Amino acid sequence: MIHISLILCFLAVVLHDSFFKGSVQPWLGPLPATAVSLLPFFLLITTTHIVIESLGRVLDRTGSWEAVRRAD
């Protein structure tokens, strides 16, 4: 799933740069641009970790294969 997100982010940047050449914001320097680029991945990784961890606890408590399927 992360591969699809990475490809979509790359496509969004390439398409934006090819259609909107003069739309670079003056306040968007290297540091804010890096933060804006990496924040969605950090949120995705954090959310995935929390969900997998909670499903692991469900598996430990109940032994349910449904938790394994959802984690996968």
Side-chain angles (χ1 to χ4, degrees):
M1 181 64 184
I2 194 77
H3 302 295
I4 294 170
S5 299
L6 185 61
I7 291 169
L8 289 175
C9 285
F10 178 76
L11 274 173
V13 169
V14 168
L15 289 175
H16 179 271
D17 289 348
S18 65
F19 288 118
F20 303 106
K21 296 271 187 208
S23 68
V24 175
Q25 302 296 325
W27 58 268
L28 194 60
L31 188 59
T34 303
V36 168
S37 299
L38 295 180
L39 184 64
F41 286 112
F42 177 72
L43 291 174
L44 179 67
I45 290 168
T46 303
T47 304
T48 303
H49 176 72
I50 291 169
V51 169
I52 296 293
E53 191 173 289
S54 67
L55 287 170
R57 278 183 270 156
V58 169
L59 177 63
D60 288 341
R61 264 189 321 228
T62 65
S64 169
W65 280 100
E66 182 66 23
V68 174
R69 188 186 65 78
R70 285 186 182 185
D72 187 37

